[in-house]
Amino acid sequence: MMNSLFNRIFFTFALSILCSSSAMFAQSDQDSLLGSARVVFQTNYGDIEFGFYPGVAPQTVEHIYKLVRLGCYNTNHFFRVDKGFVAQVADVSGGRTAPMNEEQRKEAEKTIKGEFSDVKHLRGILSMGRYSDPDSAQSSFSMLLGDAPHLDHEYAIFGKVTKGDETLKKLEELPTRREGIFVMPTERITILSTYYYDTEMETCQQDKSMLKRRLAASAVEIERQRMKCFP
């Protein structure tokens, strides 16, 4: 009886380690897909930063990144927060409080071909919203709040959250109401502003700054030696 109990405990422990390891490998694989561009949504509950998978969904990435650069997501909101499932950003055409100019409207009204892939829907993944037509995605997308394997190969994954999981956790704790299939927050979660940057450029700037400091230190040392040897 003791042996049987021990075997069950050992099996459960081994299974949990295996599942944990699989999740770690999946996360590592997803990180390797990230490009260097980053976008930050500044919400009234905190910042959320995300990156793109240009090799997985190039058309989707180009479209979303252009919408960000045009400022289309400013004053937009998260219309859906379903704890453990998704936090979904509204289509910018109807979700913003600020009016759009002609260039913004033209990009927002584009529909994007469904770029479905083998990347898994895990927590933190960005996945395009769409209607029943697989090629009907526009500007609405979800940030996964949990693993959702039933969405795999059905919705186009184009990136993942890189910073701000604590903000997503805050959103999950907000009061909600149900409207049909949607679980919606009772108060508006506003995207106050957005900005973007390139991690490779940031690294270059850091390297340049370090090089300048080293050159300055070298100049000081050369001058000190000159004063010592040639007073």
Side-chain angles (χ1 to χ4, degrees):
M1 182 176 176
M2 287 296 293
N3 284 340
S4 176
L5 178 61
F6 175 79
N7 287 337
R8 284 201 298 273
I9 293 172
F10 179 79
F11 177 76
T12 303
F13 175 73
L15 187 60
S16 67
I17 292 293
L18 181 61
C19 291
S20 176
S21 299
S22 298
M24 287 173 61
F25 283 130
Q27 286 290 106
S28 178
D29 287 344
Q30 289 179 345
D31 288 345
S32 70
L33 299 172
L34 283 169
S36 59
R38 295 290 184 273
V39 169
V40 178
F41 279 3
Q42 296 181 298
T43 80
N44 51 328
Y45 288 94
D47 293 356
I48 304 169
E49 180 192 280
F50 56 87
F52 297 107
Y53 293 156
V56 173
Q59 293 180 43
T60 305
V61 168
E62 182 181 357
H63 174 62
I64 296 296
Y65 198 31
K66 186 171 183 180
L67 287 171
V68 170
R69 295 198 305 273
L70 290 173
C72 293
Y73 287 99
N74 295 347
T75 76
N76 197 19
H77 71 290
F78 287 83
F79 80 93
R80 178 186 188 187
V81 178
D82 196 338
K83 186 174 183 178
F85 183 37
V86 296
Q88 188 168 354
V89 177
D91 263 316
V92 298
S93 296
R96 286 165 50 101
T97 56
M100 288 196 292
N101 60 39
E102 189 57 36
E103 188 179 12
Q104 290 173 327
R105 188 175 294 106
K106 183 178 178 181
E107 189 64 29
E109 289 174 354
K110 288 181 180 178
T111 54
I112 305 301
K113 177 177 168 48
E115 296 180 293
F116 309 125
S117 68
D118 291 331
V119 181
K120 304 299 182 185
H121 281 80
L122 305 177
R123 183 179 177 88
I125 280 293
L126 308 182
S127 181
M128 289 299 288
R130 64 173 176 82
Y131 297 104
S132 56
D133 181 350
D135 300 330
S136 60
Q138 289 185 296
S139 59
S140 177
F141 65 89
S142 295
M143 299 181 182
L144 271 288
L145 301 175
D147 298 352
H150 63 286
L151 301 181
D152 292 348
H153 305 108
E154 298 291 332
Y155 293 85
I157 288 173
F158 65 94
K160 69 169 290 187
V161 172
T162 50
K163 291 179 185 176
D165 191 61
E166 65 282 357
T167 300
L168 293 180
K169 288 176 180 175
K170 286 181 189 177
L171 302 189
E172 288 188 273
E173 297 307 316
L174 294 176
T176 58
R177 67 182 189 279
R178 182 174 286 276
E179 290 192 15
I181 64 169
F182 296 122
V183 178
M184 309 169 77
T186 56
E187 53 191 87
R188 186 179 175 88
I189 303 168
T190 303
I191 301 169
L192 303 170
S193 62
T194 61
Y195 67 90
Y196 58 92
Y197 69 97
D198 192 295
T199 55
E200 289 182 356
M201 290 298 293
E202 290 256 312
T203 301
C204 287
Q205 290 297 329
Q206 291 169 2
D207 289 346
K208 281 170 65 178
S209 177
M210 185 180 298
L211 182 58
K212 285 181 180 178
R213 289 197 299 272
R214 287 177 178 173
L215 288 171
S218 296
V220 170
E221 179 61 21
I222 289 170
E223 181 62 15
R224 190 180 70 81
Q225 290 295 334
R226 189 187 69 77
M227 292 294 292
K228 178 181 176 182
C229 298
F230 306 100

